[in-house]
Amino acid sequence: MYVSSHSREEDDLVVPARFTVAEVRAQAIRIVDHDGLNALSMRSLATALGTGPMTLYNYVKGRDELEGLVAEAVLDDVELPPSSDDWLADVKSIATAVWETMRAHPNAVPLVLTRRTVSDAGYAPAERLIEALGRGGLAAHDQLAAFRGVLSLVMGAAQVELAGPLVTTDREQANAAIAAHISRLAANEHPHMAALAHTSRKSTMAADFGSALDMLLTGIEARSTGPQPPRKKQARRNTDHPVPKQLPTLNPSSAEARE
């Protein structure tokens, strides 16, 4: 394998690559997962790979592409479920898989939201989501709107978990603490907000995400002209979604990157 950042006119300068792009990508996400976004640099990545910083310019042009590799690594890590004959259930399972993967890489979430991937290595989740929606008999513009709507919910839900100060390493406890704080502040002048915050303290992020996704899918299904999946209606409305096991905690060193 050969990698070069030069133009075609400079093909004679191409040098053998010491690493695969996948190896560089995997090491970059390991640094971000363990030490936060601030720890990622061309120098720290080169050190982790046992090479010099200049070697990395054979793989990425600079910091922006390096961060794009991290975003790509998260999407490439999604374990996509097998397809079924229920297109709506497939949409739900794909969206949930992407959301759970983003939760597993909390320090990298800002990059997934703001950076373009370097190659098509992270396109598989989007491709599968589009394919599943395509089986729903949606008009072209409805399919596009549904695709953007599902992704917006996934990305928004992941971002909400990073909002506010990190008061504990347990994100469910952090959510309850923030909700309690909002409830106290809003109690006198904003009773509706206070009441909703109180409800939030008794819920989980997994349950909230599942319910919101079900509501969105109900609207998408209403625009479908395709065959109805062979399932019971209430099956899709179940909000008892298990929280992914052993989720990594957000490294406080990445707080500056989230602001």
Side-chain angles (χ1 to χ4, degrees):
M1 174 182 177
Y2 292 85
V3 180
S4 173
S5 60
H6 299 292
S7 64
R8 291 183 178 180
E9 290 77 10
E10 300 172 308
D11 279 346
D12 57 316
L13 299 180
V14 174
V15 296
R18 291 187 57 186
F19 312 99
T20 66
V21 174
E23 289 171 337
V24 175
R25 185 170 61 225
Q27 188 60 60
I29 189 63
R30 275 195 290 269
I31 292 173
V32 173
D33 282 343
H34 188 267
D35 299 316
L37 287 179
N38 291 338
L40 179 67
S41 67
M42 298 292 270
R43 184 170 298 278
S44 66
L45 179 57
T47 298
L49 288 168
T51 188
M54 293 306 296
T55 301
L56 296 181
Y57 287 95
N58 286 321
Y59 304 87
V60 293
K61 295 179 180 178
R63 175 77 187 192
D64 285 346
E65 284 197 1
L66 178 58
E67 293 182 347
L69 271 185
V70 174
E72 187 176 282
V74 175
L75 296 175
D76 190 47
D77 194 39
V78 177
E79 294 185 11
L80 292 169
S83 297
S84 72
D85 58 357
D86 185 335
W87 67 270
L88 206 58
D90 286 352
V91 170
K92 183 172 184 176
S93 61
I94 294 165
T96 301
V98 175
W99 176 70
E100 289 180 345
T101 301
M102 292 182 69
R103 294 189 89 204
H105 300 281
N107 292 334
V109 167
L111 298 185
V112 178
L113 297 173
T114 61
R115 297 293 184 271
R116 297 293 183 185
T117 56
V118 179
S119 71
D120 65 350
Y123 284 3
E127 176 69 13
R128 281 286 308 282
L129 180 58
I130 295 169
E131 184 275 332
L133 289 168
R135 287 187 275 125
L138 298 169
H141 283 89
D142 285 344
Q143 183 182 14
L144 176 61
F147 172 73
R148 288 177 173 171
V150 172
L151 285 188
S152 295
L153 175 60
V154 170
M155 300 300 174
Q159 188 175 30
V160 163
E161 292 195 48
L162 304 183
L166 187 66
V167 296
T168 173
T169 56
D170 185 307
R171 280 176 281 163
E172 291 295 348
Q173 289 183 9
N175 177 60
I178 292 171
H181 178 68
I182 293 174
S183 183
R184 288 193 298 271
L185 290 179
N188 294 327
E189 300 294 331
H190 308 282
H192 299 295
M193 188 171 183
L196 192 62
H198 180 71
T199 300
S200 178
R201 294 176 62 185
K202 298 183 291 183
S203 184
T204 67
M205 293 179 177
D208 292 345
F209 176 78
S211 294
L213 184 56
D214 281 343
M215 293 178 193
L216 178 59
L217 293 180
T218 296
I220 293 174
E221 184 179 20
R223 304 297 289 266
S224 170
T225 59
Q228 293 300 306
R231 58 181 169 76
K232 295 181 179 179
K233 275 284 185 180
Q234 62 269 27
R236 184 169 48 79
R237 297 179 182 276
N238 178 19
T239 59
D240 185 19
H241 302 289
V243 177
K245 296 180 180 179
Q246 298 180 338
L247 286 176
T249 56
L250 182 64
N251 191 306
S253 67
S254 65
E256 179 180 344
R258 296 192 281 105
E259 295 178 352

